[in-house]
Amino acid sequence: MDSSSQKPVASNYSKTSPVGAFVAFPTEVTLQVLSYLSVRDLLRCTRTCTFLHSAVNHSPELLYRVELAAEGFVDHAASDLSVRERLNLLIRQAVAWRSLRWRKQTTFTTPQIEFFHFADGTFIARPCVSIGIPERVLHIYQSSPALESGGAFPINLELETDANVSGAYHTFDVSQDLLVLGYQHHLPNDLPRVRLRLRTLSSHGSSPHPAASQETLELSYNAPAPVIRCRFRIAGPLLGVGTEDATRGYFVFIWNWKTGDTVLDMDSTDRASLYDFCFLSEYRLMLLCATASELFLEIRSVDQESSATNDSKVLLRLSFPDLGSQFFSGFSLSHGPFQSDISEGTPFVKRSDGRIYAIVLRRHRRQVSPAFCFVVHHETMTALLQQKETKHIPWDEWGPKNTRMIYRHMLRSEWATVINGWICNERLIGSVHTSYRRYEPRRLLDFNVRPYIRQLAMTPNHAGASTEEAGELVTEATTISLEVGIPEHTIAITTSLPFYSVPINLPDMERRLVSIMDDRHLVFTEDCRAPERDTLDIFAFE
């Protein structure tokens, strides 16, 4: 989209005569005055008269501020692009995602993938163990242009193959050039251990990270049973590991990976079972917990500079409806990548509060599930934390108006994406429906609804709605009736967090097994009908 296609910020302004005082000023002076206004007041001014409406719509600087606020971005002054170039790029990206009109499609085949992690144009896959493939290897694709051109050849990183290594895990942070390689050890007559190697992503794991004071972090714990699963989270200098074993249950261990200091060591207690965790910021931690009758989120402070372990306190507890947690498995907190730094040359970046979280629950013993998902926005958490009247908020006082409950249809092949890939910033992707027995095609849901609500407010009777946007704004509340408990009884859950829904209309969608994304790509794995091979379809946006 070129500059001639820039959309005006308002179209229902009052057609009264402009105020004489403004006409008397040079345009440059008027624009300077308007530059001191907040975006909200700026939009109000455009509706007062033709003169101010025209002044704003002919100023790239003011239009850029409006579009940044609407799309949830902040400017990165270090970029070499001019304001007009940034504005045009921002608008092109927004229109492309709202209409799902990609710039380029690329397809190539890979060894069959068991687990993958995708963020910021970097794709790391762990192939399934099969003939001709090493038992433990990572395939690293770290070039967006190469992926988009179809000429991507992975760097193969061979993992440790010691006989005592019973599991291997990984995570990464592109902005910090950090690749974490985790190894699970269980030696005879010894305590289980989880060992983390801190490497640079740019070296494809061959070099230690220069910012880390220790090349390896190690966690030993007093449990005779081996680890069942591990999950890693990164937030700036914080590196967290969520580990579960058959005796101790789930527990969280957090380091400052740069200094090597232990920040937190917490496990399930008699009071509540701990199921997952994530970072709200570099100073706040969110835990997913449950008792026999209650599922809840607990937000805690984290002091990354404290010399004392577990220097943490509860800031907030948010209850969910009583679903009978004993009838569920696979509790998880899902969200997009936590960006601690801005990549060099980036013209704009998502605001730190431009994130959503999904609390995901799966029924026991279901090969094909709709997983129950409660979606909540980071802004909601921030607002609730600012309320100092109470630390424990019941579901009825916060949930119905601040969350959206959906089902997300999941094949077993998609379980690996529960933690990463299907959420990026304020968007999520998946098969979403409001009935447990109803299946709908996969859609893209955008929970940043500011641009869509603004458009409806500016366009009376929807007369000027853009034909380029093929989605639907959903603002009405939905009620889901759910059978829970023994004996089964029905509870009704009403939620109303607004979102914009765009259908993903691709040929042969039934063959596209797993869908993931970052801020510029949609990626689908497809059954290529060849033994031990997968097809990757990459759709690149502006």
Side-chain angles (χ1 to χ4, degrees):
M1 180 183 295
D2 56 28
S3 59
S4 63
S5 60
Q6 292 175 8
K7 295 181 291 185
V9 296
S11 58
N12 60 339
Y13 55 84
S14 174
K15 295 184 178 180
T16 58
S17 299
V19 180
F22 277 111
V23 176
F25 286 119
T27 302
E28 292 79 6
V29 175
T30 301
L31 294 178
Q32 183 67 24
V33 172
L34 294 175
S35 69
Y36 289 102
L37 298 180
S38 66
V39 171
R40 181 187 296 271
D41 290 337
L42 194 59
L43 287 172
R44 288 172 176 169
C45 282
T46 63
R47 302 188 182 106
T48 59
C49 67
T50 57
F51 177 75
L52 290 179
H53 180 270
S54 177
V56 172
N57 277 284
H58 286 84
S59 168
E61 290 77 12
L62 295 180
L63 280 176
Y64 183 49
R65 283 186 57 207
V66 171
E67 291 299 326
L68 281 174
E71 301 298 335
F73 286 91
V74 292
D75 183 54
H76 186 206
S79 172
D80 293 332
L81 296 181
S82 68
V83 171
R84 186 177 295 274
E85 289 172 329
R86 299 182 201 202
L87 173 62
N88 291 339
L89 177 60
L90 182 60
I91 293 176
R92 288 199 304 269
Q93 287 185 357
V95 171
W97 278 104
R98 290 173 202 165
S99 59
L100 285 188
R101 292 186 178 180
W102 47 86
R103 174 174 51 83
K104 194 169 189 177
Q105 177 183 355
T106 306
T107 300
F108 60 93
T109 60
T110 70
Q112 190 174 13
I113 297 172
E114 178 184 24
F115 183 82
F116 43 80
H117 193 167
F118 184 50
D120 298 325
T122 296
F123 184 87
I124 298 183
R126 187 175 67 205
C128 296
V129 176
S130 60
I131 298 174
I133 298 177
E135 184 176 356
R136 292 192 180 95
V137 65
L138 291 183
H139 289 178
I140 303 176
Y141 303 83
Q142 204 183 357
S143 169
S144 292
L147 282 172
E148 295 168 17
S149 67
F153 294 96
I155 301 296
N156 292 338
L157 173 61
E158 293 193 15
L159 304 177
E160 294 183 10
T161 56
D162 187 280
N164 295 316
V165 175
S166 56
Y169 309 88
H170 72 274
T171 190
F172 63 88
D173 185 331
V174 174
S175 62
Q176 300 188 96
D177 192 27
L178 175 63
L179 173 63
V180 180
L181 303 175
Y183 298 97
Q184 170 187 324
H185 295 258
H186 192 71
L187 301 175
N189 304 318
D190 197 3
L191 296 177
R193 292 183 296 128
V194 175
R195 189 164 54 87
L196 308 181
R197 300 183 66 192
L198 308 176
R199 319 298 285 179
T200 57
L201 188 59
S202 57
S203 71
H204 306 109
S206 63
S207 301
H209 201 291
S213 61
Q214 302 177 27
E215 183 179 343
T216 301
L217 300 175
E218 189 169 297
L219 167 62
S220 298
Y221 50 97
N222 186 18
V227 172
I228 298 175
R229 62 186 172 113
C230 283
R231 291 174 180 170
F232 299 149
R233 314 278 194 181
I234 302 173
L238 298 180
L239 171 59
V241 179
T243 302
E244 181 181 9
D245 64 55
T247 55
R248 184 178 176 183
Y250 192 85
F251 64 97
V252 175
F253 199 90
I254 298 176
W255 292 273
N256 182 321
W257 66 267
K258 294 185 177 181
T259 64
D261 295 331
T262 301
V263 176
L264 189 72
D265 181 2
M266 177 177 296
D267 60 5
S268 300
T269 64
D270 294 336
R271 177 181 59 86
S273 297
L274 178 61
Y275 287 107
D276 204 357
F277 80 104
C278 70
F279 293 108
L280 289 182
S281 70
E282 297 179 13
Y283 299 95
R284 285 174 179 169
L285 174 74
M286 183 160 67
L287 304 171
L288 177 59
C289 309
T291 64
S293 61
E294 184 184 20
L295 179 71
F296 61 92
L297 294 174
E298 186 172 273
I299 300 176
R300 287 178 164 266
S301 63
V302 178
D303 187 353
Q304 57 181 263
E305 299 176 355
S306 175
S307 59
T309 303
N310 294 338
D311 187 6
S312 171
K313 64 178 181 180
V314 177
L315 303 177
L316 183 66
R317 176 170 165 171
L318 301 174
S319 294
F320 284 86
D322 178 12
L323 301 177
S325 61
Q326 65 270 31
F327 302 108
F328 291 84
S329 63
F331 295 89
S332 65
L333 279 167
S334 299
H335 56 85
F338 188 100
Q339 293 294 347
S340 55
D341 296 306
I342 302 175
S343 301
E344 187 175 348
T346 302
F348 40 79
V349 68
K350 264 292 182 178
R351 293 197 315 245
S352 58
D353 60 352
R355 310 175 72 202
I356 57 172
Y357 306 90
I359 295 87
V360 183
L361 301 83
R362 291 199 307 270
R363 293 267 194 179
H364 283 302
R365 298 181 300 276
R366 291 188 182 266
Q367 294 283 344
V368 178
S369 129
F372 304 111
C373 302
F374 290 93
V375 182
V376 59
H377 203 284
H378 185 94
E379 289 180 339
T380 297
M381 299 299 187
T382 301
L384 293 174
L385 282 166
Q386 292 174 349
Q387 298 178 7
K388 298 183 179 180
E389 293 80 11
T390 179
K391 287 185 177 181
H392 184 186
I393 305 180
W395 165 257
D396 290 341
E397 295 181 15
W398 81 277
K401 64 180 179 181
N402 290 305
T403 67
R404 177 69 68 167
M405 184 182 179
I406 59 178
Y407 292 121
R408 180 173 181 256
H409 188 83
M410 292 173 58
L411 303 174
R412 180 175 289 277
S413 57
E414 290 188 286
W415 286 6
T417 68
V418 167
I419 306 304
N420 66 76
W422 66 289
I423 297 179
C424 182
N425 298 327
E426 295 167 284
R427 302 186 184 105
L428 65 82
I429 189 172
S431 299
V432 178
H433 38 114
T434 55
S435 170
Y436 191 85
R437 296 177 176 85
R438 178 182 174 188
Y439 174 83
E440 291 185 358
R442 274 168 280 193
R443 304 176 73 88
L444 184 76
L445 306 189
D446 189 349
F447 286 85
N448 172 26
V449 297
R450 287 181 292 266
Y452 315 109
I453 292 178
R454 184 193 63 178
Q455 177 178 313
L456 295 180
M458 295 186 309
T459 312
N461 301 321
H462 303 240
S466 171
T467 58
E468 294 183 274
E469 299 175 7
E472 172 191 10
L473 178 64
V474 179
T475 58
E476 69 275 9
T478 54
T479 299
I480 295 178
S481 295
L482 185 64
E483 296 178 351
V484 299
I486 297 179
E488 285 191 344
H489 61 281
T490 301
I491 63 173
I493 301 175
T494 299
T495 54
S496 56
L497 182 66
F499 64 92
Y500 188 76
S501 174
V502 184
I504 302 175
N505 297 319
L506 298 174
D508 300 323
M509 274 301 291
E510 66 277 3
R511 293 179 55 198
R512 302 177 189 275
L513 302 180
V514 180
S515 49
I516 57 177
M517 65 178 171
D518 66 3
D519 57 351
R520 290 187 297 158
H521 305 87
L522 278 176
V523 179
F524 297 89
T525 65
E526 181 180 345
D527 180 8
C528 66
R529 299 176 182 175
E532 301 173 354
R533 305 291 292 178
D534 278 337
T535 296
L536 285 182
D537 287 328
I538 300 175
F539 298 87
F541 292 81
E542 188 64 46

